[in-house]
């Protein structure tokens, strides 16, 4: 009775204040007419000046036993509604709301006529209107793929000059895949097969375009090429009713291919997207990676679909999680995070949760779901009811309203709430003879044997053999699943009853479970270490599995049913929430660009630049242009996870350590305490390289890291071995940690350096002339001549991004970094550029043979601040040979 009163309040206010407008604006008590109100964007595409709310509500009137009102409403629709309007509408929304509403109205109208009391005058008028509308939607299917355009002009179609549509290239999967029930019903009712054929072709195309390795579909697809535009996949907005219509098409039409497709998709959903009680979007090509850390409210329909499929346990789990969110916020926010905080605060009075509540009650007989329904009714009356109807929530946190009451509120919400509480004698017909569309319109099951179109089963793709006993239970008999045992559902809900409340009270049973050893606190995310065997054992007990990825990271997945007990499942869920929040906090940190580790000691002199990953803590090298320079030292213990035992070797040096065993911030604190001026963490994943792996950022430990003041950088295994090899070869290795690579004039500014490192503009300009003048002077050693030729060959085509003028102390030559933060050229790091060639070649060629020219050049470059000590030729040649040997060695090792 309370549901009936609420419906009367909403329906009568629409008829009094809004009709014939499409929707009621309950705060201002007037109708919403498209073009007369400020545009709301895509939301307004559902409005077509065809009295949307009245058509959408037709079969609801019969379900609620309001047959007189139904008869009057049908007469109004036949008399007043015009479908030939020059207006652009959504194909998807018009199909499920208007075409579905007309077909649902026709279905119950002929049922009432057969009973002999009402609708005796009815002669299929609603069906004629539905057929007219069907033909107006068909132009949208004029694509090579068979996928419909997302919008159509009711009067002019798609490509007509006055249509103002037909330029779109993308549509959502649900938009193209939620047509088969209405279009097939229209074909079966009228005997016109074209509608069902078009809808089947669209479904077939989406099936063929699924990602074959994961059997998932994306959110958005190109209607011309079939390419996935948005490659994330879930069961919420953009995909939801595609899955729903595959299963329901099998129920209504009896075509096994639809069930086989649904089962294939469902197996993928439960394998990748379902993380009970959560349903998280993933990437279709990398389904083990979550695409986002929040869920949208449209997925609330999925537990109801799982009931129809016969998979009750995960339906109960997800429904209970959603109910806990509702109890916290009064309504289900449009989107909420995995730790159950509001992501999008609106709530347009969506019915999907009420739908799942109804199906779960029918499947379990558990009176708990009647209490859930009462909560929904109380919240609607308490928070959404206004004098002229029910207003959508603008923000569930503040309780503010929005001036809208969508047609689906009357079409679905009151239908499911009434059916939830109604007894069989309250109904004037058997609801089991009908199937619900996604808009809760009623289509009779006898359509499966009426006017069947001859269609070939899709044989282009073999269906995957699936090992899932649940497939035997599609359209289940509840007496077989769990004979009169309401405790079945309660036992599944119990571990989730406090899922939203993070401060859940702990029972005394945890101490008992520890077998007298005293209560053990649950494992917290911030304390977890993947290398700790005890932690791994705790994860297993909590139903959390750990997956090692190829790039060295680990991924955690929880299945509550695999936990040792309900308390362990509760701990596991809390652990996952903490881990997701910790990860989310780290992702929200500023995404830092790559940093540089430059080896500046002999014989490298800045020519070796290694791409390094930044840290989200410690000194910000972008704000310290000079960087941090020092000799490197390997710490003990090498993992840096405890107090450093060789502080004398680390003090005033840059510490080298290995990744693993503890948090990066802990390593930083330990080396800082030992007196290090910086740190380099080397990846322990053998063979990892910045060439093949994306930029790696070292995150904090979830605590305040302001105490860390030294710079920390991360090197992959291959780059880290370059420094380790240099230490073994030369012992004293000096590096520069900076935000980007420096040229050698900047590195050695104010320091005593070898003459051959300095370049000058004058030498560059005169290099060709000097080379020709010195052709006759061959007294240099063969090694030196060879070195000059090698460097000269490189200098002919200097690498992009290198500077050929290093005499200006303010000039900078950053290493060229591509979009992935990986050095785009190995030669940038290791091969001498034009500056080395132009400076060293004349020096080598001059030697003692051209003392006068040497003096002249020195004078001409007197403005350059360097030490004028003259090195013996033997020393210069020896240095050159060392350079060449080092270069050849590194080139040979492909470093």
């Amino acid at each position: 009775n309370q549901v009936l009163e609420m419906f009367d309040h909403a329906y009568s206010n629409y008829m009094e204040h809004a009709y014939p407008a499409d929707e009621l604006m309950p705060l201002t008590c007037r109708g919403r007419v498209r073009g007369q109100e400020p545009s709301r964007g895509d939301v307004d595409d559902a409005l077509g000046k065809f009295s949307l709310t009245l058509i959408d509500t037709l079969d609801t009137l019969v379900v609620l036993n309001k047959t007189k009102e139904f008869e009057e409403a049908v007469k109004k629709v036949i008399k007043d509604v015009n479908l030939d309007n020059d207006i652009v509408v959504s194909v998807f929304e018009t199909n499920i709301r208007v075409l579905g509403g007309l077909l649902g109205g026709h279905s119950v109208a002929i049922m009432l006529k057969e009973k002999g009391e009402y609708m005796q005058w009815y002669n299929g008028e609603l069906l004629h209107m539905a057929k007219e509308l069907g033909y107006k939607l068909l132009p949208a299917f004029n694509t090579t793929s068979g996928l419909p355009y997302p919008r159509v002009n009711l009067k002019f179609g798609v490509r007509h000059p006055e249509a103002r549509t037909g330029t779109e290239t993308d549509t959502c999967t649900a938009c193209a895949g939620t047509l088969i029930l209405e279009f097939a019903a229209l074909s079966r009712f009228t005997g016109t097969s074209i509608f069902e054929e078009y809808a089947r072709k669209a479904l077939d195309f989406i099936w063929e375009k699924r990602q074959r390795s994961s059997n998932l579909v994306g959110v958005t697809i190109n209607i011309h090429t079939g390419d996935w535009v948005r490659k994330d996949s879930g069961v919420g907005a953009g995909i939801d009713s595609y899955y729903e219509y595959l299963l329901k098409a099998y129920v209504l039409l009896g075509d096994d291919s639809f069930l086989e497709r649904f089962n294939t998709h469902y197996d993928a959903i439960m394998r990748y997207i379902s993380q009970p009680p959560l349903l998280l979007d993933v990437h279709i090509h990398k389904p083990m990676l979550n695409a986002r850390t929040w869920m949208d409210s449209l997925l609330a329909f999925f537990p109801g679909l799982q009931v129809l499929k016969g998979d009750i346990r995960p339906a109960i789990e997800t429904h209970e999680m959603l109910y806990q969110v509702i109890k916290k916020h009064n309504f289900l926010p449009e989107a909420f995070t995995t730790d159950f905080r509001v992501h999008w605060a609106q709530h347009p009075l969506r019915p999907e949760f009420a739908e799942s509540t109804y199906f779960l009650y029918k499947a379990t007989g558990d009176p708990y779901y009647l209490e859930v329904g009462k909560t929904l009714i109380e919240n609607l009356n308490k928070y959404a009811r206004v004098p002229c109807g029910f207003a959508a929530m603008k923000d569930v946190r503040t309780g503010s309203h929005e001036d809208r009451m969508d047609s689906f509120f009357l079409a679905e919400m009151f239908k499911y709430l009434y059916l939830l509480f109604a007894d069989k004698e309250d109904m004037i017909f058997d609801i089991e003879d009908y199937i619900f569309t996604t808009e809760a319109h009623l289509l009779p099951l006898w359509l499966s044997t009426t006017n069947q179109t001859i269609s070939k089963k899709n044989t282009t793709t073999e269906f995957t053999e699936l090992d899932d006993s649940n497939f035997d239970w599609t359209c289940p008999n509840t007496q077989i699943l769990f004979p009169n045992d309401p405790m079945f559902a309660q036992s599944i809900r119990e571990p989730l009853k406090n899922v939203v409340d993070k401060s859940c009270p702990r029972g005394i049973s945890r101490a008992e479970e520890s077998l007298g050893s005293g209560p053990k606190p649950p494992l917290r995310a911030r304390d977890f270490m993947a290398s700790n065997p005890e932690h791994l054992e705790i994860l297993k007990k909590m139903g959390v599995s750990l997956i090692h990825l190829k790039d060295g990271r680990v991924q955690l997945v929880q299945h509550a049913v695999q936990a040792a007990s309900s308390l362990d499942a509760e701990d596991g869920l809390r652990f996952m929430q903490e881990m997701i929040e910790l990860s989310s906090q780290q992702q929200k940190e500023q995404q830092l660009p790559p940093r540089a580790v430059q080896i500046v000691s002999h014989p490298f002199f800045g020519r070796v630049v290694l791409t390094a990953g930044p840290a989200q803590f410690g000194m910000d090298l972008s704000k310290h242009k000079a960087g941090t320079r020092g000799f490197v030292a390997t710490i003990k213990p090498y993992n840096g996870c405890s107090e450093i035992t060789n502080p004398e070797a680390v003090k005033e040096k840059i510490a080298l350590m290995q990744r693993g065993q503890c948090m990066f911030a802990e390593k930083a604190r330990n080396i800082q305490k030992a007196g290090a001026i910086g740190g380099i963490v080397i990846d322990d994943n053998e063979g990892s390289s910045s060439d093949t792996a994306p930029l790696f950022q070292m995150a904090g430990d979830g605590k305040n890291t302001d105490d860390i003041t030294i710079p920390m950088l991360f090197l992959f295994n291959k780059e880290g071995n370059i420094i380790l090899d240099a230490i073994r070869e030369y012992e004293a290795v000096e590096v520069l940690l900076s935000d980007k690579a420096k040229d050698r004039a900047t590195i050695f500014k104010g320091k005593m350096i070898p003459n051959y490192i300095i370049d000058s503009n004058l030498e560059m300009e005169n290099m060709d002339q000097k080379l020709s003048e010195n052709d006759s002077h061959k007294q240099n050693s063969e090694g030196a001549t060879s070195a000059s030729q090698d460097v000269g060959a490189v200098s002919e085509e200097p690498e992009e991004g290198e500077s050929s003028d290093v005499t200006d102390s303010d000039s900078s030559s950053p290493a060229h970094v591509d979009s992935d933060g990986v050095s785009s050229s190995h030669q940038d790091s290791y091969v001498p550029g034009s500056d080395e060639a132009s400076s060293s070649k004349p020096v080598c060629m001059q030697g003692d043979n051209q003392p006068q020219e040497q003096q002249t050049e020195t004078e001409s470059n007197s403005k350059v601040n360097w030490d004028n000590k003259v090195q013996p030729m033997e020393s210069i040649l020896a240095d050159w040979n060392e350079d060449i040997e080092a270069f050849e060695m590194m080139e040979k090792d492909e470093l």
Side-chain angles (χ1 to χ4, degrees), residues 55 58 70 73-75 77-78 83 99 101-109 119 121-132 186:
I55 293 177
L58 288 176
F70 171 72
V74 172
K75 291 178 179 179
V77 169
I78 296 171
L83 298 173
L99 182 58
L102 292 170
L103 292 172
H106 173 70
S107 299
V108 294
M119 302 299 293
W121 55 269
Y122 181 71
N123 195 28
E125 288 85 353
L126 293 179
L127 181 60
H128 297 321
M129 294 179 68
K131 188 174 182 180
E132 178 190 355
L186 182 57

Side-chain angles (χ1 to χ4, degrees), residues 349-389:
L349 307 181
R350 292 199 184 277
E352 284 78 14
F353 181 77
E355 174 187 355
S356 289
T357 303
Y358 163 68
F359 281 114
L360 272 170
Y361 177 65
K362 292 300 179 183
T364 64
D366 190 340
Y368 174 84
Y369 295 108
L370 297 178
E371 296 302 318
V372 173
K374 290 179 182 178
T375 301
L376 298 181
I377 292 172
E378 291 170 1
N379 288 348
L380 285 171
N381 278 323
K382 186 175 182 180
Y383 301 108
R385 187 166 181 148
V386 295
C388 286

Side-chain angles (χ1 to χ4, degrees), residues 92 116 303 733 856:
F92 168 74
V733 174
T856 303

